[in-house]
Amino acid sequence: MTILAAEDGPSPLLPHTSELIVGLVAFALLFFFLRAKVFPIFERTYAERAASIEGGVKQAEEAQAEAQRLLEEYRSQLADARSEAARIREDAKQQGQAIIAQMREEAQAEADRVTARAHAQLQAEREQVLRSLRDEVGTLATTLAGRVVGESLEDDERSNRVVERFLAELESAQADDAAVGTAGTSGKDG
């Protein structure tokens, strides 16, 4: 029975109707206040943060795209620079070879000039020596012939003819000896 008596009194689980109405009105006022004043601030802050994050992501994507573009541009410039360097090296190599060839040609031409000059000088000296020898041999031959004959052979024309004939015979004898020597060596070779 004590249980029944407790049921007749106010229930601790169910609030009074007046408390329930006051609570609902307070809740409605608080809800409208929060909805009008606080929630817009939350929404604006959320939108700003979302926009900031999206902008940051977008900026990061743009920066990455720009970095990729710059990297490709750098690689392209590097490839161009390498090909230009290779072309310059090849040009320098070709120019070096051309310079070397030109220097060789100039050296060969100079050597040919020096050789030709030396041959000409040798030929001139040989002719001078031959003239000098002819004169000396002529003088010696005339003097010797004059002593052998016992007469003076001072007549220039006669002495010149005798000397010339003697030298001609001497040269032909040397030429015959040279021809025989050449034939003898060629016969030995065969």
Side-chain angles (χ1 to χ4, degrees), residues 42-60:
F42 286 157
E43 286 295 323
R44 192 174 9 179
T45 304
Y46 174 75
E48 287 174 359
R49 285 190 181 172
S52 173
I53 290 171
E54 286 177 10
V57 169
K58 188 174 182 180
Q59 285 178 345

Side-chain angles (χ1 to χ4, degrees), residues 168-190:
E169 288 174 4
L170 187 62
E171 285 178 0
S172 68
Q174 286 177 349
D176 289 343
D177 287 344
V180 169
T182 306
T185 52
S186 65
K188 290 178 186 176
D189 292 343

Side-chain angles (χ1 to χ4, degrees), residues 9-88:
S11 168
L13 294 177
L14 289 177
H16 287 286
T17 315
S18 62
E19 285 179 358
L20 193 57
I21 292 176
V22 170
L24 282 175
V25 169
F27 178 75
L29 287 176
L30 182 63
F31 177 74
F32 286 121
F33 174 76
L34 289 175
R35 188 170 150 207
K37 298 290 181 180
V38 177
F39 289 162
I41 293 173
F42 286 157
E43 286 295 323
R44 192 174 9 179
T45 304
Y46 174 75
E48 287 174 359
R49 285 190 181 172
S52 173
I53 290 171
E54 286 177 10
V57 169
K58 188 174 182 180
Q59 285 178 345
E61 288 173 352
E62 288 174 357
Q64 186 175 5
E66 179 69 15
Q68 187 65 30
R69 185 188 65 77
L70 290 174
L71 179 63
E72 292 300 320
E73 184 178 320
Y74 169 75
R75 286 181 179 163
S76 173
Q77 289 175 351
L78 185 61
D80 291 346
R82 285 182 179 158
S83 65
E84 181 70 16
R87 186 188 61 76
I88 289 172

Side-chain angles (χ1 to χ4, degrees), residues 100-173:
I100 289 171
Q102 181 182 4
M103 296 293 262
R104 283 184 183 157
E105 289 173 7
E106 289 174 2
Q108 185 63 39
E110 184 64 26
D112 291 345
R113 278 194 298 272
V114 168
T115 304
R117 227 179 297 136
H119 283 299
Q121 186 176 1
L122 284 174
Q123 185 65 28
E125 287 177 3
R126 182 173 180 241
E127 289 175 7
Q128 183 181 1
V129 167
L130 282 175
R131 264 188 256 118
S132 174
L133 281 176
R134 279 183 183 211
D135 290 343
E136 285 183 36
V137 167
T139 304
L140 286 174
T142 305
T143 305
L144 183 62
R147 285 186 185 168
V148 169
V149 172
E151 290 183 23
S152 174
L153 298 175
E154 295 293 324
D155 183 15
D156 285 336
E157 277 184 45
R158 187 185 303 172
S159 66
N160 282 342
R161 280 195 312 258
V162 169
V163 169
E164 290 296 325
R165 189 175 57 230
F166 174 73
L167 289 177
E169 288 174 4
L170 187 62
E171 285 178 0
S172 68

